[in-house]
Amino acid sequence: MTTAVTAPRLAIALLAALALAACSGQESSHAAAEGEAHAAQSSSAGLPDGRIAAGEQLASAKGKATGQSCIDCHGPDGNAPIDATYPKLGGQYADYIAHALQQYRAGERQHSLMTPQATGLSDQDIADLAAFFASRPTQLRDLHGVH
């Protein structure tokens, strides 16, 4: 075959292999280690790196506004909410949790308990809580493995 015919076929084969690797759910050990290193960050929320241990302590602390802690309503790992309308937080993306808490803090997102709870949180508190709940086992369902 000529190079003009071989190059596009090679590119298609390479793209197919990359797509299969992305859909397989398997990571190389380097990619897994990289993911662990970034798991404690809330990069898109513009926050400092989250500290899982500090987040765990904060999740157990009673808030001044409501007298409740995060785990009182969402469960120890964020997977046992006391009300079916409360979200499961365990294994949720740290960025999602951080953005939600920032919106509650700013009053852009309203909830009778969450808005006052988040009002007094610092950027570091939000990053720490997001890192903690993101590090917990998940019961969330997503589209991984759906074909």
Side-chain angles (χ1 to χ4, degrees), residues 27-90:
E27 295 180 325
S28 69
S29 60
H30 173 71
E34 214 174 75
E36 288 174 17
H38 293 295
Q41 290 186 18
S42 295
S43 60
S44 74
L47 298 174
D49 289 351
R51 303 165 301 182
I52 294 170
E56 182 174 16
Q57 288 180 335
L58 191 57
S60 299
K62 301 288 186 186
K64 293 175 187 162
T66 66
Q68 301 295 312
S69 71
C70 301
I71 64 170
D72 287 341
C73 294
H74 297 280
D77 281 336
N79 289 311
I82 62 170
D83 184 291
T85 64
Y86 294 179
K88 291 183 178 184
L89 301 177

Side-chain angles (χ1 to χ4, degrees), residues 80-101:
I82 62 170
D83 184 291
T85 64
Y86 294 179
K88 291 183 178 184
L89 301 177
Q92 179 59 271
Y93 293 109
D95 284 345
Y96 179 84
I97 295 170
H99 281 287
L101 287 172

Side-chain angles (χ1 to χ4, degrees), residues 15 17 67 69 94 104 107 131 134 137:
L15 284 173
S69 71
Y104 283 124

Side-chain angles (χ1 to χ4, degrees), residues 123-134:
D123 283 353
Q124 186 66 61
D125 292 339
I126 290 173
D128 293 346
L129 285 167
F132 168 68
F133 283 113

